[in-house]
Amino acid sequence: MAGLINPENEGDLQAQIEEVEALSSIYGDEWCVIDEASRIFCIKISSDFEEPKLTACLQIILPPDYPSAAPPIYQINAAWLRGSERAKLANSLEDIYVEHAGENILYLWVEKIRDFLVEKSQSSETVDQPENVNVTAEEEVDDDEDVPDFRTLRLNTENVHLFMDQANDEEIPPIKHGNAITDRRSTFQPHLAPVVSPRQVKRVLEKLYENKKIASATHNIYAYRIYCEDKHSFLQDCEDDGETAAGGRLLHLLQILDVRNVLVVVSRWYGGILLGPDRFKHINNCARNILVEEGYTASTDEASKSKTKRTKSKKTK
């Protein structure tokens, strides 16, 4: 087994330890260790230390061969960050990695994101309460359903390789757009794509955000489930995009329907009238409809008929 160990990884691990210690010292309470063993960390970044107008949370996973041969795997969580702005920031971080390949870059990434927040907070386009741009004042989470919270999903480092560029992931999967549902001037539209890796998920999202209408949506909620054949387990995640708990509910739907290797995105354009719990119903109905249309699950009618047959069968027995 010793022959399988890459000696370079020992140097990478030491470099990671030193970098984490430095970042912890620099950022104090803003730096958070989520899972030391899996090398998962998080840092809260603000546009201003005293009066933060904008904040973002950078969650990172350090692969075994970072920094020598691989970049950190990251996710930026910010309710106000969508579409072209998210793509622009992602490109900036990738440029930093390319420019400093083989070096520790987390500090540069954090400060780049902070500069981005400062620039946006000072922009004339920034509204008085930017944090609420895509929250639609429907922040409260209804307690009528026992829905697990998937917003804090953690990824094990054994799945890290799935995030790396792979030759068979170069082509963007076909994207389908479903029929829209409109209620009290709010419109919901689903989008679906077959995916077999988080890399493809990222590419599909980038492609969707190139559409100005989709990028301008108040929320783009998504969830995906990928079945890992070699590990006989699922890799899954979701995003609320400001619609609190919507991503978790959407992922819960995918689990109930037992679908796999698919990404579902539901765009919502807020019409100015609060919908309350109905918004979750529309999001899930949109998602279920497009899954049925694309053959990922049986239709509601077929499922009902099947259930009825099973019930009658039991009675006759």
Side-chain angles (χ1 to χ4, degrees):
M1 292 295 291
L4 298 176
I5 298 175
N6 185 350
E8 293 183 0
N9 285 352
E10 295 181 8
D12 283 326
L13 179 59
Q14 185 58 38
Q16 289 181 23
I17 292 173
E18 293 175 359
E19 183 177 25
V20 167
E21 289 178 350
L23 293 171
S24 177
S25 175
I26 294 171
Y27 297 113
D29 292 340
E30 290 187 334
W31 178 262
C32 176
V33 177
I34 295 179
D35 189 330
E36 178 72 37
S38 297
R39 313 302 291 158
I40 305 177
F41 307 93
C42 182
I43 180 168
K44 181 181 178 182
I45 308 169
S46 305
S47 58
D48 187 287
F49 288 107
E50 296 181 359
E51 297 182 5
K53 294 181 180 180
L54 288 175
T55 60
C57 180
L58 174 66
Q59 182 172 312
I60 54 173
I61 302 175
L62 301 181
D65 50 353
Y66 166 80
S68 68
I73 299 160
Y74 74 94
Q75 177 173 312
I76 301 174
N77 298 317
W80 50 270
L81 185 62
R82 308 190 307 281
S84 59
E85 287 186 328
R86 182 179 288 274
K88 178 183 176 182
L89 182 55
N91 289 336
S92 297
L93 299 186
E94 289 180 12
D95 288 343
I96 290 175
Y97 171 70
V98 171
E99 184 179 349
H100 298 272
E103 302 175 15
N104 297 91
I105 59 169
L106 292 183
Y107 176 79
L108 296 177
W109 273 14
V110 172
E111 292 310 308
K112 184 63 176 181
I113 295 173
R114 195 186 307 282
D115 290 343
F116 185 87
L117 300 185
V118 171
E119 181 180 346
K120 181 167 177 59
S121 67
Q122 295 175 345
S123 169
S124 58
E125 297 178 359
T126 303
V127 295
D128 292 336
Q129 293 181 324
E131 292 279 4
N132 294 329
V133 169
N134 64 341
V135 172
T136 71
E138 297 193 87
E139 275 286 325
E140 71 280 0
V141 179
D142 305 288
D143 295 324
D144 56 338
E145 295 182 47
D146 184 18
V147 180
D149 183 4
F150 294 99
R151 289 170 292 167
T152 56
L153 284 176
R154 301 177 184 178
L155 300 171
N156 193 287
T157 49
E158 66 181 10
N159 292 322
V160 163
H161 69 283
L162 295 171
F163 285 79
M164 301 299 113
D165 291 346
Q166 298 177 18
N168 61 354
D169 288 343
E170 288 305 311
E171 193 172 330
I172 299 177
I175 303 173
K176 302 292 184 178
H177 307 281
N179 296 322
I181 294 176
T182 300
D183 180 12
R184 285 163 280 180
R185 298 207 299 265
S186 275
T187 299
F188 303 79
Q189 184 181 24
H191 321 281
L192 177 150
V195 293
V196 294
S197 74
R199 169 70 176 172
Q200 285 190 330
V201 171
K202 179 182 177 183
R203 298 210 63 190
V204 170
L205 293 174
E206 289 173 345
K207 185 65 177 179
L208 283 173
Y209 288 140
E210 288 177 7
N211 183 306
K212 292 183 179 180
K213 181 180 179 181
I214 295 175
S216 67
T218 315
H219 313 285
N220 281 301
I221 304 111
Y222 71 80
Y224 66 85
R225 293 188 85 213
I226 298 169
Y227 185 67
C228 306
E229 294 282 353
D230 57 337
K231 302 182 185 304
H232 303 291
S233 62
F234 283 95
L235 181 63
Q236 54 193 16
D237 204 350
C238 60
E239 171 60 45
D240 294 337
D241 194 24
E243 186 70 285
T244 304
R249 290 167 184 255
L250 182 56
L251 180 54
H252 191 50
L253 173 69
L254 300 188
Q255 292 181 319
I256 290 174
L257 297 177
D258 193 28
V259 297
R260 59 184 62 189
N261 299 334
V262 66
L263 162 70
V264 177
V265 182
V266 177
S267 301
R268 179 195 180 182
W269 292 269
Y270 179 54
I273 300 175
L274 302 181
L275 303 186
D278 284 348
R279 66 194 190 276
F280 298 120
K281 178 182 69 177
H282 295 321
I283 291 168
N284 275 13
N285 282 343
C286 272
R288 186 185 294 106
N289 290 343
I290 197 170
L291 285 166
V292 170
E293 290 167 7
E294 296 304 318
Y296 281 86
T297 183
S299 68
T300 304
D301 290 340
E302 290 174 348
S304 298
K305 289 178 182 177
S306 176
K307 184 176 181 181
T308 302
K309 287 181 179 178
R310 289 197 301 270
T311 302
K312 288 182 178 179
S313 176
K314 287 181 180 179
K315 287 182 178 179
T316 56
K317 290 179 181 179

